[in-house]
Amino acid sequence: MQTNYKGTVFFDLDGTLLNNQSQVENSVASAVRQLKENDYLPVICTGRAPIEIEAATSATGINTYVTLNGALVESQGKTIYSNDIKPDVIKNIMDMAHKNGDSLFMHAHTRNSLSAQTPFIKEFFHALKLEIPEIDPNFYKKDAIPMFVVITDDDGKKYQKEFPELQIYNTGYHSLDTVAKGVSKMSGIKHLLEELNMKDKPVYAFGDGANDIPMIEFADYGIAMANGIDEVKDIATYITTENVNGGIVNGLKHFNLI
């Protein structure tokens, strides 16, 4: 596994590396490939599952990922780290979700499933440009689940209060990304840097949303997208342009990475 890079550059996907059609624009794909040619390791760092990032990986050639908000870390086909949520916790929060008219979108390593059909399902999957998966409330009994999404119009506070052993990120699209307590994009990045022996190399990170805050805070150079939330912009080293207005390319050029 190659580790002789000058540094690492972490990219959130939605609202960051991807455009508003959930695709990688040609200029962005070229910039990421140039970044790697310049001996920087590009890494996808996302709340999405590995099976949901093909549009980004095929366009950019990126083969190192921190997915499921840090709960699953892979590089060049090797799983470096995984933190799975306990089945009894999933059952309990699923019971609460169903009573509230909500659903769980459960992510295993290579497949996913919904726990119930609810009003926001169609809108949620349309926004992410994803196919609606099968409904199987017993899915968590068959596969290890590093992350699930509560699909709801709730802000997540009541779920967080009821389940302090979980970390819940309100990421929009009627979604609450849920992982084990202590798991974040930052923790996933730390596991990757440790494995690649790159803790002493500079870290750059691009993001726009609430689940990017730990990553932006941790990075030596945190880059906020102009379309991002104020909380990300407030802690960023640099604010680049919007994701659909050359934000990635401009940010990389600002730090002389390409």
Side-chain angles (χ1 to χ4, degrees), residues 51-236:
I51 61 174
E52 298 170 356
I53 65 175
E54 194 275 333
T57 59
S58 61
T60 62
I62 294 175
N63 62 5
T64 300
Y65 332 112
V66 176
T67 56
L68 302 177
N69 285 306
L72 182 61
V73 182
E74 300 172 295
S75 184
Q76 301 175 47
K78 175 185 176 182
T79 298
I80 290 173
Y81 173 78
S82 179
N83 191 324
D84 304 320
I85 302 172
K86 295 179 180 179
D88 61 320
V89 175
I90 297 176
K91 179 185 183 306
N92 291 338
I93 197 169
M94 185 185 297
D95 290 343
M96 179 177 173
H98 290 176
K99 287 179 182 178
N100 292 329
D102 298 333
S103 179
L104 300 191
F105 178 31
M106 296 172 280
H107 293 288
H109 286 210
T110 59
R111 61 190 191 126
N112 52 44
S113 183
L114 279 168
S115 69
Q117 179 70 47
T118 56
F120 296 114
I121 295 297
K122 187 174 181 180
E123 182 179 352
F124 172 82
F125 286 96
H126 176 75
L128 293 178
K129 306 296 188 294
L130 297 174
E131 296 292 327
I132 298 176
E134 67 174 8
I135 295 175
D136 181 4
N138 294 314
F139 182 75
Y140 72 97
K141 298 178 182 178
K142 308 166 189 174
D143 287 65
I145 308 296
M147 189 187 94
F148 58 82
V149 180
V150 183
I151 302 177
T152 178
D153 63 348
D154 187 82
D155 63 6
K157 292 179 181 178
K158 64 185 180 185
Y159 284 103
Q160 187 67 83
K161 181 179 180 180
E162 188 69 23
F163 295 94
E165 67 270 52
L166 298 174
Q167 178 64 54
I168 297 175
Y169 300 101
N170 187 333
T171 54
Y173 302 124
H174 298 295
S175 61
L176 304 174
D177 288 9
T178 307
V179 290
K181 191 72 174 179
V183 171
S184 68
K185 290 186 176 184
M186 178 184 69
S187 68
I189 288 171
K190 287 182 175 180
H191 285 289
L192 178 65
L193 296 177
E194 178 75 31
E195 175 70 19
L196 300 182
N197 193 28
M198 293 180 64
K199 292 190 298 181
D200 297 329
K201 302 288 183 68
V203 173
Y204 302 81
F206 288 77
D208 71 310
N211 59 340
D212 295 318
I213 291 173
M215 172 178 74
I216 296 295
E217 287 181 322
F218 172 76
D220 298 301
Y221 306 97
I223 301 102
M225 311 303 290
N227 52 284
I229 62 174
D230 289 341
E231 290 86 346
V232 174
K233 295 176 184 177
D234 289 344
I235 61 173

Side-chain angles (χ1 to χ4, degrees), residues 9-12 15-19 24-35 38 60 204 206-207 223-227 238-258:
V9 185
F10 294 87
F11 298 100
D12 172 52
T16 304
L17 195 71
L18 301 180
N19 63 20
V24 178
E25 295 178 356
N26 290 337
S27 59
V28 174
S30 296
V32 172
R33 291 180 182 275
Q34 182 62 54
L35 178 70
N38 292 348
T60 62
Y204 302 81
F206 288 77
I223 301 102
M225 311 303 290
N227 52 284
Y238 177 71
I239 301 174
T240 187
T241 50
E242 295 86 355
N243 63 317
V244 294
N245 188 28
I248 294 296
V249 176
N250 292 335
L252 292 174
K253 287 182 176 179
H254 176 81
F255 289 101
N256 297 313
L257 298 176
I258 60 172

